Amino acid sequence: MNSGHQDRRVIPRDKDGFYRFIVTVNFISWLVLIGALIVFHFARPEMVTGLQTYWGIEGRTTWSDEHVDMLVVLLQICLGMALVTMLLRSRRNRREADNYGVNLFILAGISMVSLVTLNVTVA
């Protein structure tokens, strides 16, 4: 029955191309979340201190629409990538040493909570 292919359950995970792909997508989705955090910094209202008010320096007290739109897109991409990766891992885990990847649940949770909070706060 063996047609020259090695059983993928005995191949080490770091040699499996599909596993490498999943790890790469997972890494990229975490980078997208870091990018979303950077965009969040520029999207939120600025804190206007008493000294700024005294000297007449104006600060933005509302959310930046352009940055909020970009933030929503980045969070949606992050959530989508996390969910797809979770689905792929659930279909592929067959080795005894395979774990499900708690970081994906954390990533999806952070993305969902951020989207809901952003929707409630900005809208």
Side-chain angles (χ1 to χ4, degrees):
M1 205 80 200
N2 191 355
S3 62
H5 294 137
Q6 189 175 10
D7 186 8
R8 69 176 173 79
R9 289 174 283 191
V10 296
I11 300 173
R13 279 194 302 196
D14 57 348
K15 303 290 186 205
D16 185 14
F18 188 76
Y19 180 77
R20 285 182 183 169
F21 173 73
I22 289 174
V23 169
T24 303
V25 172
N26 189 7
F27 181 73
I28 291 170
S29 59
W30 278 101
L31 288 178
V32 171
L33 182 66
I34 291 171
L37 290 172
I38 293 169
V39 171
F40 169 77
H41 170 74
F42 293 107
R44 67 183 178 182
E46 297 171 354
M47 184 179 80
V48 180
T49 63
L51 187 60
Q52 285 175 304
T53 305
Y54 177 75
W55 283 346
I57 300 172
E58 294 185 21
R60 185 173 38 85
T61 58
T62 60
W63 287 84
S64 169
D65 291 333
E66 306 89 38
H67 290 101
V68 168
D69 293 340
M70 187 184 322
L71 180 60
V72 169
V73 168
L74 286 174
L75 288 171
Q76 288 173 344
I77 289 171
C78 186
L79 179 60
M81 289 173 73
L83 293 176
V84 166
T85 306
M86 288 167 69
L87 178 68
L88 291 175
R89 285 184 72 134
S90 70
R91 300 273 185 212
R92 186 64 181 238
N93 281 349
R94 297 232 167 77
R95 296 179 190 93
E96 288 182 17
D98 284 349
N99 53 15
Y100 195 67
V102 175
N103 67 34
L104 293 171
F105 286 104
I106 294 170
L107 182 63
I110 290 171
S111 300
M112 282 190 289
V113 168
S114 298
L115 283 169
V116 169
T117 304
L118 193 61
N119 192 22
V120 168
T121 304
V122 177

